[in-house]
Amino acid sequence: MTDRNTDDMSFDEWDELQRPAPETTGFDAVVETALSRRGFLGVLAFGSGAAAMGLGSAASLLSSTSAEAMTASRFAFKPVDIATDSIVHVPEGYTWDIVASWGDKLFSNAADFDHATGGDAASADRIFGENTDGMEFFTVGERQVITVNHEYVNPKINLPKNDGGMPASLEDVRKLQNLQGVTVMEVAEGDDGWKIVVDSPLNRRITHLTPMTFSGPAAGHDLLKTDADPEGTQSLGTFNNCGAGKTPWGTYLTCEENFNSYFGSTDAGFELPEDFKRYGISVETRYAYEKFDERFDISKNVNEPRRAGYVVEINPADPESTPVKRTALGRIKHENAECALARDGRVIVYMGDDERGEFLYKFVSNGTYQAGGSTDGLLDDGILYVAKFHDDGTGEWLALTEGTTGMSLPEICIFTRMAASRVGATTMDRPEWIAVNPVAVEAYCALTNNKNRGVKPNAGGDETPVGGPNPREKNEYGQIVRWYPENDDHADTKFKWDLFVMAGNPAVHKDAYAGSPNVNAGNMFNSPDGMAFDTRGLLWIQTDGEDSNEGDFAGQGNNQMLIGDPVTGEIARFLTAPIGSEVTGLCWSADLRTAFVGIQHPSAPFPDGEGKLPRSSIIAVRRDDKALIG
Ligand code: FEO
Ligand code: CA
Ligand code: CA
């Protein structure tokens, strides 16, 4: 995709262009591919019948899934068709409304949104930010609160009067910095749907400039010290907030993903430290912060990027609280942080590192959670593990300790990718969201796609052979891997795994790229990304992929949200998104009658129509009969 205009690229595509992974040989990978596809068939999740069928018989796979859907569906909707237009579609009997769009006021003293300027710069930290992503719903006393990430900015849209959207002043940079981060906002449901409660005492914006603290093993380490923070314990801002999580004690976890993109050098000859290369920190940036805000100039503040890439804990019930960067959860390109409890009450946090050939992690606390008890230290004191998958359907969690890595504990927390490489973890097809089933002891991870699978190593030089849960070379469709912890305990270091679905296109391909048996012409999709379970144990799947509706993606239309049944394998399309957008972020109201869904980076002028700027938005989806939706 190097011939494309960079403005049209997804964030990941742009990031890849800046730092192409090293080339490698092809022959070994081809041999490995052939061997591993057979291994994949042996562990596919649909019983002996599916395994015996093979992936070559697309017609029989299609009919088997359709028959299953007709007899066993738990879905209370008629699936929607694909779409290629610029609005949202939901099933008959459901409606959707806008809750909040970029530029909407959180406080009445913010300026009205102006489509000509992309909004008032001075109001940028008092409005709903750009590019909505992971979110969680909280009940605080009588108040209902959504806490939601604003992952990145689209400078051409946010600074429409600037040449190429590039910041030309510190004021422009401040505007972009304030449009990102996190929103905490009270919402209320009235006759015209769910709306922001403007001026609620709980409303808050957390941005690239908000003071926060470091905790855990890396806090105070030399690698986190700067001239402005000689103790290495205070941070300003949280960056590229992608997925999210919710702790058992009711706080919000926001996850720093492509943090590397904000740090650049005014000195073009600056020699990048080795660890910068693994994390994709380079001289050139998309936002030009470093030209106007010295903190982001790596030639002057070499440790600043080492202070980003963490999971940050925020208390939505206390607008005066200081967010905490939890270094024990590692420094990676964090997607989300999915919490679970071990049988003995220890806290588990599952986390993916979303880059081609990076790894899947879990943190296990040393202390145990007790409702109403102190939670101090639970996310600071524990063991970080990384997943190793075996081709026979088993797997293990490898502890990242001083003994296994040869690194100190703070180094493991700051250079987590290198620690995971040292123990031989399995390189994955871009781990996005992880979701834990509330009604069964199992977890799911969306492996969104990986064009480099079997082609080239990851940024650290680890090979990416075809096999295990990453069974397809040049994987353009993605899959969802599922694991079952031994002894029904998320703290156990052993597990069994299978694939819940391999996305694909059975109308175009007759081989493994057709997808698994539960993919058919009526539900096909590519690039699973966001995921969450509802209270019934149904898996909601959001996509962030190719929406050209052409070639390998013909018949898949715009990005979409589907619902999967872990018991039957059935998958049905519930929602289609406006062209150009991805569907990301999902939570439910406390009464389970509303699903809140994020629509990020629409390319057409959604939701306001022609002549207006496209605005990333949260929508509320409800049933017309007011019945439960989640
Ligand atoms: Fe921000 Fe990996 O998605
Ligand atoms: Ca994502
Ligand atoms: Ca994605």
Side-chain angles (χ1 to χ4, degrees):
M1 299 195 193
T2 50
D3 56 345
R4 284 174 55 191
N5 183 318
T6 55
D7 293 328
D8 299 332
M9 292 178 178
S10 74
F11 203 95
D12 292 311
E13 288 169 349
W14 183 87
D15 193 44
E16 176 76 7
L17 265 187
Q18 308 312 303
R19 190 183 39 77
E23 299 290 341
T24 188
T25 63
F27 179 72
D28 289 349
V30 172
V31 174
E32 184 72 15
T33 303
L35 294 172
S36 298
R37 278 190 190 140
R38 290 200 295 276
F40 158 69
L41 290 173
V43 295
L44 194 60
F46 301 96
S48 57
M53 261 191 272
L55 290 172
S57 177
S60 62
L61 305 184
L62 176 60
S63 58
S64 117
T65 304
S66 299
E68 184 179 72
M70 288 173 64
T71 56
S73 180
R74 285 200 286 156
F75 299 156
F77 62 93
K78 183 177 164 210
V80 297
D81 203 352
I82 64 163
T84 57
D85 60 13
S86 57
I87 60 168
V88 172
H89 296 274
V90 293
E92 289 172 28
Y94 292 76
T95 55
W96 65 273
D97 303 284
I98 295 286
V99 179
S101 298
W102 160 48
D104 285 351
K105 292 181 185 183
L106 299 172
F107 300 97
S108 54
N109 62 0
D112 291 338
F113 186 73
D114 180 352
H115 283 266
T117 64
D120 173 42
S123 299
D125 62 353
R126 282 169 287 138
I127 57 175
F128 187 77
E130 174 64 303
N131 279 333
T132 180
D133 208 301
M135 59 178 156
E136 297 286 351
F137 192 93
F138 297 89
T139 302
V140 180
E142 299 289 304
R143 302 178 189 273
Q144 301 172 90
V145 174
I146 291 176
T147 303
V148 56
N149 292 341
H150 302 290
E151 187 181 22
Y152 62 102
V153 282
N154 304 302
K156 267 194 162 179
I157 296 169
N158 310 126
L159 298 170
K161 291 190 172 299
N162 288 35
D163 185 20
M166 287 305 288
S169 65
L170 181 59
E171 184 191 30
D172 289 344
V173 167
R174 289 280 184 259
K175 178 178 176 181
L176 299 184
Q177 291 171 333
N178 281 324
L179 289 178
Q180 299 168 77
V182 177
T183 284
V184 183
M185 62 182 184
E186 184 179 350
V187 291
E189 187 180 24
D191 292 341
D192 55 350
W194 287 89
K195 300 294 175 202
I196 299 169
V197 178
V198 176
D199 293 328
S200 165
L202 294 179
N203 289 358
R204 181 181 189 186
R205 280 299 314 284
I206 292 162
T207 72
H208 287 184
L209 301 162
T210 303
M212 42 196 75
T213 59
F214 290 106
S215 73
H221 191 273
D222 284 349
L223 286 163
L224 299 192
K225 292 176 181 171
T226 63
D227 288 347
D229 175 27
E231 302 298 317
T233 55
Q234 309 288 322
S235 171
L236 275 188
T238 178
F239 302 95
N240 211 262
N241 306 81
C242 183
K246 190 181 198 177
T247 63
W249 48 95
T251 57
Y252 182 72
L253 300 176
T254 184
C255 303
E256 299 184 323
E257 192 188 24
N258 293 299
F259 65 90
N260 55 308
S261 56
Y262 303 101
F263 302 95
S265 175
T266 54
D267 171 8
F270 177 70
E271 194 166 330
L272 296 169
E274 199 59 32
D275 62 291
F276 279 28
K277 296 173 189 167
R278 181 67 188 269
Y279 284 92
I281 300 154
S282 59
V283 167
E284 188 187 346
T285 73
R286 204 178 198 180
Y287 304 126
Y289 281 15
E290 74 280 5
K291 293 186 173 67
F292 304 100
D293 185 346
E294 194 173 282
R295 183 159 68 98
F296 296 87
D297 186 344
I298 53 177
S299 69
K300 296 178 177 148
N301 288 295
V302 70
N303 275 349
E304 198 67 38
R306 296 170 178 144
R307 295 151 57 87
Y310 299 98
V311 173
V312 184
E313 185 176 10
I314 295 168
N315 182 1
D318 180 4
E320 302 301 321
S321 60
T322 302
V324 182
K325 292 196 157 189
R326 300 288 183 189
T327 65
L329 274 53
R331 176 168 167 267
I332 57 177
K333 292 187 179 180
H334 280 283
E335 187 69 21
N336 79 324
E338 176 75 341
C339 294
L341 288 176
R343 290 170 77 100
D344 64 4
R346 281 178 290 166
V347 179
I348 313 297
V349 188
Y350 286 115
M351 301 169 286
D353 185 351
D354 179 11
E355 189 167 306
R356 297 176 186 88
E358 289 296 339
F359 308 118
L360 184 58
Y361 297 85
K362 81 169 175 181
F363 169 85
V364 181
S365 68
N366 286 336
T368 57
Y369 167 70
Q370 276 140 4
S374 170
T375 58
D376 286 353
L378 283 180
L379 298 183
D380 294 333
D381 180 17
I383 299 176
L384 196 56
Y385 295 85
V386 65
K388 187 172 184 68
F389 292 80
H390 302 295
D391 285 351
D392 64 358
T394 66
E396 59 194 299
W397 292 101
L398 306 174
L400 301 179
T401 65
E402 294 176 357
T404 61
T405 66
M407 298 163 66
S408 71
L409 197 49
E411 287 170 341
I412 292 168
C413 297
I414 298 170
F415 301 137
T416 308
R417 286 181 165 182
M418 293 74 139
S421 287
R422 288 190 180 191
V423 300
T426 300
T427 57
M428 306 296 285
D429 285 350
R430 294 186 53 198
E432 298 253 28
W433 284 67
I434 297 165
V436 170
N437 191 339
V439 301
V441 185
E442 59 189 30
Y444 295 63
C445 180
L447 302 171
T448 195
N449 57 54
N450 183 0
K451 66 184 179 187
N452 294 345
R453 172 63 57 187
V455 176
K456 58 172 79 168
N458 70 11
D462 303 317
E463 296 299 329
T464 65
V466 173
N470 310 284
R472 290 177 296 188
E473 188 180 30
K474 297 177 186 166
N475 172 23
E476 61 185 348
Y477 294 121
Q479 63 269 6
I480 296 174
V481 64
R482 159 172 59 185
W483 59 95
Y484 311 89
E486 286 277 298
N487 300 309
D488 283 342
D489 188 350
H490 283 289
D492 204 287
T493 57
K494 293 206 163 32
F495 59 88
K496 293 189 171 56
W497 66 269
D498 60 26
L499 293 173
F500 173 65
V501 63
M502 287 212 323
N505 193 327
V508 173
H509 297 288
K510 303 301 177 197
D511 55 11
Y513 298 88
S516 51
N518 53 344
V519 169
N520 57 58
N523 70 3
M524 61 176 165
F525 62 96
N526 71 85
S527 305
D529 186 335
M531 289 197 304
F533 273 97
D534 66 22
T535 59
R536 304 164 295 182
L538 293 176
L539 180 64
W540 296 46
I541 304 162
Q542 305 177 317
T543 74
D544 169 24
E546 171 68 70
D547 66 355
S548 66
N549 203 33
E550 294 177 346
D552 283 352
F553 305 97
Q556 302 191 336
N558 293 350
N559 278 301
Q560 50 187 283
M561 183 165 71
L562 310 103
I563 301 181
D565 185 336
V567 177
T568 64
E570 182 191 7
I571 296 172
R573 185 182 300 117
F574 180 81
L575 176 150
T576 58
I579 191 159
S581 68
E582 70 175 272
V583 191
T584 184
L586 174 64
C587 61
W588 288 269
S589 59
D591 66 4
L592 300 178
R593 295 180 201 282
T594 302
F596 297 99
V597 181
I599 303 294
Q600 194 194 77
H601 64 79
S603 57
F606 175 86
D608 302 310
E610 284 308 312
K612 306 292 188 183
L613 292 173
R615 295 203 286 162
S616 173
S617 302
I618 296 174
I619 63 170
V621 181
R622 296 178 291 180
R623 285 175 58 131
D624 295 341
D625 62 6
K626 310 292 185 211
L628 303 186
I629 192 173

